[in-house]
Amino acid sequence: MRAYREQAIVLRTHKLGETDRILHLLSTGRGKVRAVAKGVRRPGSRFGGRLEVLSHVDAQLHPGRTLDVVTQVELVHAFSALRSDWTRSACAQTLAEAADRVAQEGERHVALFVLLRESLLALEADPRDPAAVLDAGLLRLASVAGYHPHLRACARCGAPGEHAVLHLDAGGLLCPACAPVGAQPLAEGVLEGLRVLAEAPWEDLDAWASQRDGRIRRSCAALVSSYLAHHLGAPLKGWELVPR
């Protein structure tokens, strides 16, 4: 089969043998690609340094039986600043983990690629609150993955309004008629916070986070984490490592 070329972001890597490395790549045209980069752990490797986790690369690959083989790599964007800062690195790694969980091999998902790259660029801009960028990225990732949180209308009947109950299984807000008996309403300010995380421009997240009570931020973050864990089937391991 012919070699092919893809723009991709390295989601994660692990060692193979003494000198090789297995890569999980989120590509623009083929979704998730599992590939092997041969000899990249040898001193003086031609492109080992270009295949770090989070790097945006232009790669040429040759199809294989179980793993494709990386034959050429050009670095598009290193995102090296994210790896030099613990908080931003933890946020970026958690976003990559979520993308790795959502992406499917052989299924093109340009929106997911674009969202991940935008999230990494927002983190690279050195925001005052990187965790807000993470929470926004995760909530938007849920949307592009097919788990859109309904935050402006009832998730069951579609009735618009400022509904106070958020139901994970239903996928968003529930109106009084649809909400389970005894359901706890959201605290004041939390719904507004979730809407900011889901919809606001990246550059506006810092202003929102700095003006809000810490309890509202923590409540929003916990709901985002619970929402992702519910719809992905398990919590994200990296989320607990993010300083808040």
Side-chain angles (χ1 to χ4, degrees), residues 54-225:
L54 305 178
S55 293
H56 177 189
V57 297
D58 186 340
Q60 181 172 291
L61 303 99
H62 193 280
R65 287 188 177 181
T66 56
L67 296 171
D68 293 353
V69 180
V70 178
T71 57
Q72 185 178 342
V73 179
E74 294 180 11
L75 189 61
V76 178
H77 200 123
F79 289 110
S80 55
L82 301 184
R83 290 186 285 272
S84 63
D85 178 86
W86 167 253
T87 301
R88 288 189 289 164
S89 176
C91 291
Q93 295 275 3
T94 304
L95 286 164
E97 178 191 351
D100 193 27
R101 293 268 296 274
V102 166
Q104 299 294 318
E105 294 183 45
E107 292 186 11
R108 185 182 186 190
H109 206 324
V110 176
L112 180 60
F113 178 90
V114 171
L115 174 62
L116 179 58
R117 189 171 187 277
E118 287 181 350
S119 303
L120 296 179
L121 288 171
L123 287 171
E124 191 178 48
D126 198 15
R128 285 177 292 177
D129 188 359
V133 175
L134 168 63
D135 296 336
L138 291 178
L139 200 55
R140 298 170 197 208
L141 183 143
S143 289
V144 301
Y147 310 115
H148 177 69
H150 296 271
L151 301 176
R152 295 192 176 276
C154 178
R156 286 187 177 158
C157 71
E162 301 288 316
H163 307 310
V165 172
L166 182 73
H167 196 278
L168 299 182
D169 194 47
L173 302 178
L174 292 181
C175 68
C178 296
V181 176
Q184 292 296 314
L186 295 172
E188 184 178 356
V190 173
L191 175 56
E192 176 196 356
L194 292 174
R195 287 174 174 173
V196 169
L197 294 174
E199 302 167 0
W202 296 103
E203 59 270 19
D204 291 351
L205 294 177
D206 263 344
W208 169 78
S210 64
Q211 294 171 6
R212 294 303 164 194
D213 187 299
R215 290 172 296 179
I216 294 176
R217 282 286 296 110
R218 289 190 292 273
S219 294
C220 290
L223 285 170
V224 170
S225 176

